[in-house]
Amino acid sequence: MNGIHDLGGKHGVGELDVETNEPIFHGEWEKQVFGIFFGLAPHGFFNLDEFRHAIERMGAAKYLNTSYYDHWLTSFETLLVEKGVITAEELATRCAEVAKEMN
Amino acid sequence: MGSAHNRPLSDPEIRVKALESLLVEKGLIDPKIIDVLVDTYENKVGPHNGAQVVARAWSDPQYKKRLLDDGTAAIAELGFTGMQGEDMVVVENTRDVHNMLVCTLCSCYPWPTLGLPPVWYKAAPYRARAVSDPRGVLKEFGVNLPNDKEVRVWDSTAELRYMVLPERPAGTESMTEAELAELVTRDSMIGVALVQSPA
């Protein structure tokens, strides 16, 4: 797939930004995303290739403007809906509830 | 959290909370097991593992030979195995050759020896430029190589992961393996730094 993820040699994607003493995770939400990957793995809803492929079909603008663990999260959302584990509606409803409750 | 937070949640924060709560409700994930895994990768697995491999290779020529012949097996001798390290190739820096690693397509990285990758390794600028301008990238990391030193860039894949065996610095002849391991940094095993002589 010749998508935006194929970044080798591309120009114009910004400057190197190296954080000194970088933590392993930036915030709780990154840990949650990382953990969900392992929580889901034993169920076999999707394999690693499907997981990467779902990231590769995010679309160029979204891919470049979101962080690594957001890519993972997007892949979970895409695949879990496609595989019928959850529905897009229940996810959207729950997101709205969380946003209302927490914000 | 509840009232403890004092800023609106970001978009991914909302989405992961929502997704996690749905999955817990459906009995598909157990937060306790997840916590253990997160702790493992946050606090136990990391570049101190790779540093032990490097220090062993510097101290034991037979081990070094095994490491360069079959990285996966030699690294497993020290107990570092598992996900994202199933097929390992170790590339040796020498007087004439400098190696550096990238994953242009994704963020493939040898987890059992180096832990989880830093953000810059996963971000677009490094992945784009490591293959087109490796010397320029190395300069930005403070590594200025002589022009006659060959630079080899290794593009990792989903199946195969590389690790750099850095050059052993001068002035370390009498150091023990444990002391040597202390000198070895994550970046030196990615190939964007050299191991410095002890002060």
Side-chain angles (χ1 to χ4, degrees), chain B residues 44-191:
Chain B
K44 298 190 174 71
V45 179
H48 52 276
N49 290 356
Q52 290 179 49
V53 173
V54 170
R56 175 69 55 88
W58 285 347
S59 309
D60 178 348
Q62 289 304 314
Y63 181 76
K64 178 176 159 183
K65 186 175 184 310
R66 292 201 297 282
L67 184 66
L68 297 175
D69 285 348
D70 181 350
T72 316
I75 290 167
E77 286 179 37
L78 301 195
F80 309 132
T81 57
M83 207 175 144
Q84 316 298 330
E86 295 93 341
D87 194 357
M88 288 291 301
V89 169
V90 177
V91 288
E92 183 188 16
N93 283 354
T94 65
R95 199 168 54 92
D96 302 317
V97 176
H98 180 86
N99 296 282
M100 64 188 275
L101 317 182
V102 65
C103 176
T104 61
L105 291 173
C106 181
S107 48
C108 301
Y109 192 75
W111 288 12
T113 41
L114 297 193
L116 300 179
V119 167
W120 59 260
Y121 183 89
K122 301 178 285 194
Y126 181 78
R127 289 162 53 194
R129 280 183 57 210
V131 289
S132 59
D133 180 25
R135 285 177 195 272
V137 169
L138 287 170
K139 276 202 184 89
E140 289 186 32
F141 277 95
V143 178
N144 292 290
L145 298 176
N147 286 337
D148 61 352
K149 188 156 188 158
E150 182 185 343
V151 176
R152 293 180 187 164
V153 183
W154 301 85
D155 197 354
S156 310
T157 72
E159 280 80 32
L160 197 154
R161 309 295 162 98
Y162 299 95
M163 185 180 120
V164 174
L165 174 59
E167 278 187 276
R168 181 171 176 165
T172 59
E173 293 72 16
S174 61
M175 291 177 81
T176 65
E177 204 176 303
E179 288 167 340
L180 288 168
E182 292 290 319
L183 298 177
V184 181
T185 62
R186 175 195 73 198
D187 286 0
S188 72
M189 294 179 281
I190 302 175

Side-chain angles (χ1 to χ4, degrees), chain A residues 9 22 43 63 77 94 102-103, chain B residues 5 9 21 28 119 127-128:
Chain A
E22 181 182 329
H43 298 292
Y63 184 92
E77 292 164 341
R94 186 59 57 90
M102 303 296 294
N103 289 338
Chain B
H5 82 97
L9 294 186
S21 75
L28 294 171
V119 167
R127 289 162 53 194

Side-chain angles (χ1 to χ4, degrees), chain A residues 5 7 9-10 13-16 22 31-32 35 37-38 43 52 63 68 70 74 77 90 94-95 102-103, chain B residues 5 8-9 14-15 20-21 25-26 28 34 37 42 83 104-105 107 118-119 122 125 127-128 131 158:
Chain A
H5 65 284
L7 279 164
K10 278 223 169 39
V13 292
E15 300 297 316
L16 282 178
E22 181 182 329
K31 292 187 196 183
Q32 285 173 294
F37 180 86
F38 291 97
H43 298 292
R52 285 196 192 90
Y63 184 92
Y68 176 73
D70 199 340
T74 303
E77 292 164 341
E90 66 182 337
R94 186 59 57 90
C95 282
M102 303 296 294
N103 289 338
Chain B
H5 82 97
L9 294 186
I14 292 170
R15 285 159 49 217
E20 189 180 60
S21 75
E25 237 170 61
K26 290 174 191 286
L28 294 171
I34 287 179
L37 277 156
E42 190 170 29
M83 207 175 144
T104 61
L105 291 173
S107 48
V119 167
K122 301 178 285 194
R127 289 162 53 194
V131 289

